[in-house]
Amino acid sequence: MVTEGNHQIERLPVDSPADFIAFNARWAMPYKESGSTSNLYYSFEVAGTHIIMLGSYAEYHSESEQYSWLVADLAKIDRKRTPWVVVVLHAPWYNTNTAHQGDEEGMRVAMEELLYKARVDLVYSGHVHAYERLGYTTMSQTLVVRCM
């Protein structure tokens, strides 16, 4: 299962999901089954885990289709059937790499509270070519562990 990254952007600035023509042709994901209208964000379940694939390069503001879909998808999660919730996205919301500081601040501001309220267990991201692990002790305190 995949989600788009910056290397799949075919035109800058990104105007619409249509900019991902090659990605959408090569990587047909089960987005319709999860109620999504876009191949760039969707969810699926496997081995007691609800996995949400977010689109870092799709619109994410509170009036966007991705945001509305995420709200609906999170509301449908049955923790008795899928006790684990994992989110995957390309560009991290937090990192210590100075070259990518704040790259996805807008997406973080728009969606982070939704993930907290849903008690998401784990978030995987890529983009930054270095290993980092974030651990949260409280909502207001973030521990960043950087390994090079």
Side-chain angles (χ1 to χ4, degrees):
M1 305 304 258
V2 300
T3 188
E4 88 284 356
N6 56 306
H7 294 282
Q8 286 73 47
I9 297 172
E10 296 166 352
R11 179 175 38 168
L12 291 173
V14 179
D15 294 331
S16 71
D19 294 335
F20 292 90
I21 294 167
F23 174 86
N24 288 326
R26 289 184 178 95
W27 303 101
M29 295 294 110
Y31 69 94
K32 291 178 185 172
E33 291 84 342
S34 70
S36 173
T37 58
S38 173
N39 194 45
L40 303 181
Y41 49 90
Y42 58 95
S43 65
F44 61 97
E45 294 179 354
V46 63
T49 306
H50 185 83
I51 300 173
I52 299 169
M53 308 294 276
L54 292 179
S56 292
Y57 302 99
E59 288 189 16
Y60 48 74
H61 56 81
S62 62
E63 304 299 319
S64 70
E65 288 184 16
Q66 180 174 208
Y67 186 95
S68 297
W69 168 81
L70 179 59
V71 169
D73 191 69
L74 290 169
K76 290 189 246 178
I77 296 171
D78 177 358
R79 288 287 188 139
K80 289 182 177 122
R81 206 179 83 214
T82 54
W84 295 97
V85 178
V86 174
V87 171
V88 178
L89 64 152
H90 182 73
W93 294 347
Y94 293 99
N95 74 84
T96 62
N97 187 312
T98 56
H100 294 289
Q101 286 294 311
D103 278 4
E104 290 303 318
E105 183 63 9
M107 188 178 199
R108 184 196 67 76
V109 168
M111 295 184 159
E112 185 175 42
E113 189 63 28
L114 295 175
L115 303 188
Y116 274 128
K117 286 180 179 175
R119 299 178 359 259
V120 167
D121 298 293
L122 189 62
V123 176
Y124 281 110
S125 61
H127 191 59
V128 176
H129 296 236
Y131 172 77
E132 288 187 315
R133 183 174 60 197
L134 299 172
Y136 296 96
T137 54
T138 67
M139 284 180 64
S140 63
Q141 196 176 29
T142 304
L143 169 68
V144 178
V145 178
R146 183 175 184 158
C147 300
M148 309 259 321

